[in-house]
């Protein structure tokens, strides 16, 4: 997932005039920089290494940033948490502010192709030379902190977060849109001083770390709420909504809630039975009335993300940003995220989706429900920290056949033995096992017919791996003769 693409333009590496980033020496420098980051303890790849949330240490992150000059305090920021929808909402906010003519940094995770996708500026990833230079700034600081913390020095995600703020400062962004990695209260991003915060949704995920009730999860995510800083929330369920409201009140933070201060009306799908539908919405908030706002990301769930994003944009307008209705419309239309109900082929209809918890899988199934297809097959793999039985019970209600596999690009995957033992207990539709995603995709190429739906979901890692396989060799699932 960290391979360097020759499509990136050649650049001179720091301190040289003859070695470019696309030369063998430049490639080595770039790969060494990325490898330095991935050598760190990485809870994205090994979540079992974290015994509890207390293993996520904000004091360590604060020390790291202090030694780097506190770049997070030099950038105006918005901060977005949520069980699902936070990446889509962050992207919508970024595109709206970009459409208004500002320079916007966007920090999201994980990445699909290149590490530097995590910290874009006006949709552009950092160059290999920039990555090398940023990591060179980090190295001596990390070495000092390693000595101070011994075996518990900065993690991969902490370094990625710090690196993003350094990049945003160097690129002189007008705004940084920061997506929380995990939880909120103790997440590495939660050392900023945001202009606006948001909590998009609350559902069961990472329960071992965040708590086994929606209220407990909501309280962890509401840890991003700052004193007197307005917070926008798309959470409507009574228990978690009340938890967020209580924390906002304790922080004297103005709270704008979907279904209360934010009124979302007349959600209408752009008619299509051939592909997942996009929506138009009407929205009333902060004394403004928007009609027929069109979204480019498919699924009814994106209407709630859009309501949160537009509200955040209006609040930014109250804090010095000049953003018109036309720019809001343009930003929503420009907002797209990879691996969110992404159509990668149409004959047959092939969709990859990063859904990984019950709420996101339900949203996916709802989005696909109106499609005019003959047969629906899903390829599924997920991570060990997920409620696998719950996810499979949803899929077996909505698909005609369930294919089970294990993604190979990350050690978090549920094993084939575990899936095979669980399948007969949960699945009510025909199911098959595949040793790896490549085997499954090769079988699909021979058996999935034009007019059918083939969906790949259950994990960001599976969706990314399958998309790579399709692009690198399988490319297209050919219909049966």
């Amino acid at each position: 997932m960290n391979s360097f693409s020759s499509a990136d333009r050649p650049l001179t590496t720091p301190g040289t005039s003859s070695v470019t980033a696309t030369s063998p020496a430049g490639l080595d420098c770039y790969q060494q920089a990325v490898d330095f980051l991935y050598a760190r303890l990485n809870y994205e790849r090994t979540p079992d290494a974290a015994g509890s949330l207390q293993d996520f240490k904000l004091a360590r992150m604060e020390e790291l940033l202090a030694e780097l000059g506190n770049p997070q305090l030099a950038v105006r920021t918005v901060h977005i948490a949520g069980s699902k929808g936070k990446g889509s909402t962050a992207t919508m906010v970024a595109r709206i502010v970009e459409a208004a003519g500002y320079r916007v940094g966007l920090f999201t995770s994980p990445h699909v192709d290149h590490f530097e996708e995590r910290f874009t500026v006006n949709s552009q990833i950092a160059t290999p030379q920039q990555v090398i230079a940023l990591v060179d700034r980090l190295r001596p600081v990390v070495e000092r902190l390693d000595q101070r913390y011994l075996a518990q020095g900065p993690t991969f995600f902490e370094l990625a977060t710090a690196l993003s703020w350094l990049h945003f400062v160097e690129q002189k962004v007008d705004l940084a849109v920061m997506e929380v990695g995990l939880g909120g209260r103790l997440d590495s991003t939660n050392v900023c001083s945001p202009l606006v915060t948001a909590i998009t949704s609350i559902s069961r995920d990472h329960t071992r770390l965040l708590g086994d009730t929606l209220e407990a999860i909501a309280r962890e995510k509401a840890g991003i709420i700052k004193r007197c800083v307005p917070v926008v929330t798309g959470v409507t369920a009574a228990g978690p909504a009340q938890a967020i409201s209580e924390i906002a009140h304790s922080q004297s933070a103005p709270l704008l809630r979907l279904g209360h201060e934010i009124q979302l009306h007349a959600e209408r799908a752009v008619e299509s039975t051939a592909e997942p539908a996009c929506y138009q919405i009407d929205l009333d908030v902060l004394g403004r009335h928007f009609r027929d706002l069109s979204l480019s990301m498919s699924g009814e769930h994106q209407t709630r993300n859009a309501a949160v994003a537009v509200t955040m944009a209006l609040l930014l307008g109250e804090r010095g940003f000049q953003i018109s209705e036309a720019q809001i419309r343009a930003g929503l239309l420009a907002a797209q995220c990879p691996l969110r109900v992404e159509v990668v082929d149409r004959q047959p209809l092939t969709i990859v989706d990063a859904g990984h918890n019950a709420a996101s899988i339900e949203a996916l199934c709802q989005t696909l429900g109106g499609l005019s297809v003959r047969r629906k097959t899903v390829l599924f793999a997920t991570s060990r920290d997920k409620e696998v039985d719950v996810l499979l019970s949803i899929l077996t209600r909505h698909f005609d056949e369930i294919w089970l596999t294990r993604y190979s690009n990350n050690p978090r995957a549920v094993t084939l033995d575990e899936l095979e033992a669980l399948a007969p207990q949960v699945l009510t539709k025909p199911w098959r096992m595949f040793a790896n995603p490549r085997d499954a995709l090769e079988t699909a190429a021979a058996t999935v017919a034009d007019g059918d739906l083939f969906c790949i979901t259950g994990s960001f890692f599976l969706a990314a791996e399958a998309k790579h396989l399709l692009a690198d060799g399988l490319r297209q699932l050919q219909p049966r003769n």
Side-chain angles (χ1 to χ4, degrees):
M1 293 176 70
N2 301 299
S3 60
F4 177 75
S5 170
S6 60
D8 292 319
R9 61 181 179 177
L11 288 158
T12 304
T13 54
T16 71
S17 59
S18 60
V19 179
T20 65
T22 52
S23 71
L27 278 173
D28 286 346
C29 291
Y30 169 82
Q31 195 59 53
Q32 288 168 10
V34 174
D35 288 345
F36 172 79
L37 299 171
Y38 276 107
R40 314 305 301 177
L41 181 62
N42 177 3
Y43 296 133
E44 280 188 358
R45 297 181 62 82
T46 56
D48 292 341
S52 72
L53 269 188
Q54 301 312 311
D55 288 322
F56 296 82
K57 301 178 186 300
L58 281 189
R60 182 177 57 206
M61 184 66 187
E62 289 167 345
E63 283 190 59
L64 171 63
L65 291 168
E67 295 218 20
L68 293 169
N70 283 316
Q72 80 283 7
L73 302 182
V75 181
R76 292 184 293 180
T77 301
V78 297
H79 199 195
I80 302 175
S83 298
K84 71 181 186 70
K86 60 184 183 290
S88 297
T89 302
T91 300
M92 291 179 188
V93 173
R95 298 297 172 260
I96 289 170
V97 181
E98 286 173 26
Y102 294 96
R103 195 163 172 78
V104 183
L106 174 62
F107 176 74
T108 57
S109 61
H111 61 270
V112 180
D113 294 301
H114 304 286
F115 161 76
E116 53 269 30
E117 292 170 14
R118 294 168 181 256
F119 48 98
T120 59
V121 175
N122 281 20
S123 305
Q124 297 299 309
I125 65 173
T127 65
Q129 182 189 31
Q130 289 168 335
V131 173
I132 294 166
L134 290 166
V135 172
D136 283 347
R137 289 187 61 183
L138 284 178
R139 284 181 195 273
V141 176
V142 171
E143 289 169 358
R144 290 196 294 272
L145 290 177
D146 280 348
Q147 293 179 350
R148 193 175 306 163
Y149 284 95
L150 299 178
Q152 294 185 324
T155 68
F156 165 79
F157 190 79
E158 289 168 350
L159 296 184
T161 307
L163 189 148
S164 73
W165 269 315
L166 286 174
H167 185 60
F168 294 158
V169 170
E170 290 181 357
Q171 293 298 306
K172 297 180 172 58
V173 302
D174 300 300
L175 182 73
V177 181
M178 303 295 292
E179 177 196 1
V180 166
L182 189 153
R185 181 174 62 91
L186 294 175
D187 188 73
S188 301
T189 60
N190 198 28
V191 293
C192 58
S193 297
L195 299 174
V196 183
T197 63
I199 303 167
T200 58
S201 67
I202 299 295
S203 55
R204 289 177 61 85
D205 200 8
H206 301 293
T207 54
R208 186 175 63 84
L209 294 174
L210 303 182
D212 58 4
T213 68
L214 295 181
E215 290 78 8
I217 294 169
R219 290 186 180 280
E220 285 296 332
K221 294 186 185 296
I224 71 166
I225 296 174
K226 302 295 188 294
R227 186 156 191 83
C228 299
V229 174
V231 55
V232 183
T233 180
V235 177
T236 56
Q242 180 62 28
I244 292 168
S245 180
E246 289 171 0
I247 292 175
H249 179 75
S250 72
Q251 295 291 331
S252 300
L255 178 63
L256 289 87
R257 303 161 295 171
L258 185 63
H260 296 271
E261 295 79 12
I262 307 167
Q263 291 294 321
L264 176 63
H265 307 285
E267 305 157 8
R268 294 180 296 277
V270 177
E271 292 300 326
S272 174
T273 59
E275 293 187 18
C278 297
Y279 279 72
Q280 291 180 328
I281 62 171
D282 296 345
L283 188 65
D284 296 323
V285 59
L286 292 171
R288 300 285 298 275
H289 309 286
F290 299 93
R291 298 295 177 262
D292 298 329
L293 293 175
S294 296
L295 311 184
S296 63
M297 287 191 277
S298 59
E300 187 271 339
H301 57 288
Q302 295 292 0
T303 66
R304 296 183 288 278
N305 296 334
V308 172
V310 171
T311 303
M312 295 184 78
L314 294 178
L315 289 169
L316 287 173
E318 296 178 354
R319 284 152 182 78
F321 288 82
Q322 302 296 315
I323 303 173
S324 68
E325 178 174 332
Q327 291 159 346
I328 288 173
R329 291 180 180 276
L332 290 176
L333 279 175
Q336 293 185 324
C337 291
L339 309 184
R340 273 69 164 189
V341 199
E342 182 179 356
V343 176
V344 295
D345 204 348
R346 291 178 171 81
Q347 292 184 349
L349 182 61
T350 306
I351 290 171
V352 292
D353 183 73
H356 58 272
N357 63 20
S360 56
I361 295 294
E362 286 278 16
L364 169 67
C365 292
Q366 180 186 15
T367 301
L368 302 180
L371 295 177
S372 178
V373 293
R374 288 192 298 249
R375 183 172 179 81
K376 298 179 181 178
T377 301
V378 63
L379 175 62
F380 173 85
T382 196
S383 302
R384 293 193 306 274
D385 56 339
K386 306 303 179 184
E387 297 177 312
V388 185
D389 56 340
V390 176
L391 304 187
L392 289 177
S393 68
I394 297 169
L395 294 174
T396 200
R397 295 199 307 269
H398 294 277
F399 286 87
D400 300 304
E401 188 168 2
I402 295 89
W403 294 4
L404 305 174
T405 190
R406 181 187 191 278
Y407 51 81
S408 57
N409 55 9
N410 191 292
R412 291 175 60 174
V414 175
T415 68
L416 295 173
D417 288 344
E418 291 171 303
L419 288 172
E420 191 166 20
L422 186 59
Q425 302 175 36
V426 179
L427 298 178
T428 60
K429 302 286 179 59
W431 57 276
R432 301 177 62 178
M433 299 291 303
F434 293 89
N436 53 64
R438 175 175 289 278
D439 287 352
L441 293 176
E442 287 176 346
T443 300
T447 63
V448 176
D450 193 4
D452 290 349
L453 167 68
F454 186 66
C455 180
I456 303 156
T457 192
S459 167
F460 187 98
F461 302 112
L462 172 66
E465 183 173 350
K467 186 175 178 181
H468 281 299
L469 287 168
L470 290 168
D472 290 344
L474 297 169
R475 295 199 176 276
Q476 187 171 339
L477 302 182
Q478 297 293 343
R480 280 194 299 242
N481 293 328

